[in-house]
Amino acid sequence: MAMKERIVNLGEIVVTDDPETVLAVPGIGSCVVVCVFHPRTCLAGMAHIVLPSSQGRSEVSTKPFWFADIAVPHLLESMKMKGAIRPNCAIVGGAKVLNFSSMATNTSVANIGELNVKSVLENLNGSVNLVAQIVGGNTGFSIRLQVADGILFIKDKEGQIRQVNLSLPRMEG
């Protein structure tokens, strides 16, 4: 079966059950990517989150899915509408990749990755089976989620690849 890669861009949500698709994000730093897979429906989804909160942000009207507080609920609702209740989930990213040591900084900007992780976890709100959190650190990742089998590949900057199996059966009904 020929695989086709579908890049999930900044502030984008993709939900698919096409087994020939691989959802991919070639570079994740302070952003957080929420990866979900539902074993029974073989439905996969991904949200590429840039900022933790839409509160007071003018970009909301043009880029609503940049924000964890909008994107996470929308991703889960999109999965639910296609029969995928309480999917397995992994979150990746939230690194501290910006170095502000040479200047006075707004701590919320310096810690944007950490704030993104916190907001994503709050917005998941126990509605998924959280299988893995590969977050923090000082370097980014690239990821690929195979829709056919729910295997998530996470590659760090040193080229090391980790695998997370999101297709494991759910513990509850």
Side-chain angles (χ1 to χ4, degrees), residues 3 19 21-23 37 44 144-153:
M3 292 294 179
T21 297
V22 174
L23 299 176
F37 184 80
R144 298 171 54 82
L145 174 58
Q146 297 176 167
V147 177
D149 58 11
I151 303 294
L152 176 66
F153 295 92

Side-chain angles (χ1 to χ4, degrees), residues 79-93:
M79 296 287 289
K80 187 177 177 180
M81 288 172 55
K82 295 178 184 260
I85 313 264
R86 200 165 170 79
N88 293 334
C89 177
I91 63 172
V92 180

Side-chain angles (χ1 to χ4, degrees), residues 103-123:
M103 61 183 104
T105 64
N106 174 338
T107 55
S108 67
V109 172
N111 296 320
I112 196 71
E114 189 178 310
L115 294 172
N116 279 339
V117 170
K118 183 175 185 281
S119 183
V120 163
L121 290 171
E122 286 170 1
N123 282 282

Side-chain angles (χ1 to χ4, degrees), residues 12-144:
E12 187 176 24
I13 294 173
V14 175
V15 173
T16 182
D17 62 358
D18 178 0
E20 294 180 14
T21 297
V22 174
L23 299 176
V25 178
I28 307 165
S30 60
C31 289
V32 172
V33 178
V34 179
C35 307
V36 289
F37 184 80
H38 191 259
R40 187 179 46 77
T41 60
C42 294
L43 191 66
M46 197 176 272
H48 189 159
I49 293 161
V50 182
L51 295 168
S53 173
S54 63
Q55 297 306 305
R57 301 301 298 242
S58 59
E59 306 93 336
V60 172
S61 60
T62 55
K63 300 173 180 173
F65 300 135
W66 273 46
F67 306 98
D69 61 339
I70 296 174
V72 172
H74 184 83
L75 172 64
L76 297 176
E77 186 60 29
S78 298
M79 296 287 289
K80 187 177 177 180
M81 288 172 55
K82 295 178 184 260
I85 313 264
R86 200 165 170 79
N88 293 334
C89 177
I91 63 172
V92 180
K96 190 172 186 177
V97 293
L98 304 173
N99 184 354
F100 291 107
S101 59
S102 62
M103 61 183 104
T105 64
N106 174 338
T107 55
S108 67
V109 172
N111 296 320
I112 196 71
E114 189 178 310
L115 294 172
N116 279 339
V117 170
K118 183 175 185 281
S119 183
V120 163
L121 290 171
E122 286 170 1
N123 282 282
L124 287 171
N125 195 24
S127 56
V128 297
N129 298 311
L130 192 57
V131 174
Q133 295 182 60
I134 299 159
V135 297
N138 296 312
T139 62
F141 301 97
S142 62
I143 61 172
R144 298 171 54 82

